[in-house]
Amino acid sequence: MKYNVLIVEDDADIIELLTLYLGSNDFNVFTAMNGEEALKVVDEQEISIALVDVMMPKMNGYEFIKAVRRNTSFPIIIVSAKTMDVDEVLGLDMGADAYIKKPFNPLVLVAQVKAVLRRTYKLDIPSAGEEGTGSAAMLLTVGDLEFDLEKFLLKKRGEILPLTLTELKIMAKLMKTPGRVYTKAQLYECINGDFYENDDNTMMVHISNIRSKIEDNPETPRYIKTVRGLGYKIEYKAL
C-alpha cells in the first residue's frame, strides 16, 4: 500500500526537499502552500498523514489543524521554526500528533513519518477470535464511554467524541484494562514505541485534552484518574 502524504508548507525549497525524500521512499506526495489549499486537497484525496508548517498566509497551520480535525483523524506532524515549548503545547492542543522543529534532518523526518504510519495503520487490535468472539470483543465499555475497536472511534452516550488518533490510542490502552495504573512512559510507548524524559509534559497535555472531551466536568474527572507519583488509570463510579 502506498501512503498519501500531504505537505502543507509555504517554502518552495522545503516542499521540493520533502517531496524528493518522500517520493524516493515510495510515498504519494500532495502539496499545498497554505491551509486553504490544504483543505481542498483533503476533500479530494484520501490523506494518510500530513506534515504541516505553522506560519503560512491565508490560513496558518494551527487554523488548518483545527478545521481539518472536525472531520478527520489522520495523523498530523507539525514541522515548524517556532521552537518555544508553548508553541509545541498549542500544536498538540489543536490536534497535532507530533511536533518537529526546524531545521530538521530530512532522513530523520522520513523515518518519523514511517514510524507514525506504522503505529497508526497497524494497530494492536484484537481479532474476533481473541478476548471473546464476534462484535462484543471489539467493544470496550467504561461507564457511558464505548470504544469501537473495529472502527476505532469513541462514543459517549451514543455520540462520537472528536479525539485525535493519539488520544484514541491512549483511551484504547486505558479502556482495555479499567482500574490498572499506567505510567506516562507506558502510555507514551503505545503511541510512539519510545519514551524520553521530555515527553512527560507532552503526555500531560494529551491527558488534559482527553479530559476536556470525555468528561462532563474536566475539573473533577470521573473517568481518567491521576495516581500521584505513578501515572493514570480509567475507572467509572456512578454518582
Side-chain angles (χ1 to χ4, degrees):
M1 174 182 177
K2 292 187 72 171
Y3 291 103
N4 295 333
V5 181
L6 171 60
I7 302 170
V8 190
E9 168 67 62
D10 64 341
D11 187 320
D13 291 334
I14 292 179
I15 289 178
E16 183 178 0
L17 177 68
L18 289 177
T19 300
L20 175 65
Y21 276 85
L22 290 165
S24 65
N25 280 271
D26 208 29
F27 289 107
N28 293 323
V29 179
F30 297 88
T31 65
M33 298 288 284
N34 58 65
E36 289 184 359
E37 291 181 11
L39 288 176
K40 293 178 182 178
V41 176
V42 171
D43 286 339
E44 297 170 359
Q45 305 294 334
E46 187 172 344
I47 299 302
S48 309
I49 187 171
L51 305 176
V52 181
D53 186 22
V54 171
M55 297 177 287
M56 296 181 293
K58 294 186 179 179
M59 177 185 284
N60 66 37
Y62 293 142
E63 293 168 334
F64 165 74
I65 293 170
K66 185 177 180 180
V68 82
R69 276 291 179 248
R70 295 182 186 130
N71 302 305
T72 67
S73 61
F74 57 75
I76 295 173
I77 299 175
I78 291 178
V79 185
S80 175
K82 296 172 74 68
T83 59
M84 300 293 289
D85 288 345
V86 66
D87 299 315
E88 183 172 355
V89 170
L90 179 58
L92 294 171
D93 277 342
M94 288 291 182
D97 297 279
Y99 196 103
I100 296 175
K101 297 173 183 177
K102 298 177 181 177
F104 57 85
N105 182 325
L107 291 174
V108 173
L109 188 145
V110 171
Q112 290 177 325
V113 168
K114 289 180 178 179
V116 170
L117 289 171
R118 193 163 53 244
R119 292 188 299 268
T120 301
Y121 298 105
K122 296 182 180 179
L123 298 165
D124 182 20
I125 300 175
S127 66
E130 298 174 332
E131 300 182 14
T133 58
S135 60
M138 304 300 288
L139 294 177
L140 304 173
T141 303
V142 178
D144 293 326
L145 300 176
E146 184 178 87
F147 202 121
D148 186 326
L149 289 172
E150 185 174 14
K151 297 179 180 178
F152 216 67
L153 55 82
L154 181 66
K155 295 181 180 179
K156 182 178 182 180
R157 304 185 190 109
E159 182 178 343
I160 297 175
L161 299 177
L163 272 67
T164 68
L165 190 58
T166 293
E167 294 162 0
L168 287 170
K169 287 183 179 182
I170 293 170
M171 286 299 294
K173 186 77 168 179
L174 292 171
M175 290 180 68
K176 284 179 181 179
T177 50
R180 175 178 170 179
V181 178
Y182 287 93
T183 66
K184 293 175 185 176
Q186 287 172 323
L187 289 176
Y188 211 90
E189 285 168 5
C190 84
I191 305 168
N192 290 337
D194 296 304
F195 178 81
Y196 305 95
E197 286 189 19
N198 62 353
D199 291 328
D200 221 36
N201 291 334
T202 300
M203 181 52 62
M204 291 173 63
V205 172
H206 287 315
I207 294 295
S208 176
N209 290 341
I210 292 171
R211 281 175 171 157
S212 71
K213 297 173 183 178
I214 72 171
E215 300 283 358
D216 292 329
N217 182 0
E219 298 301 319
T220 56
R222 297 176 64 193
Y223 288 101
I224 298 181
K225 305 295 178 64
T226 300
V227 181
R228 192 173 298 277
L230 293 176
Y232 303 98
K233 65 178 179 178
I234 191 167
E235 61 183 8
Y236 180 81
K237 293 182 180 179
L239 296 176

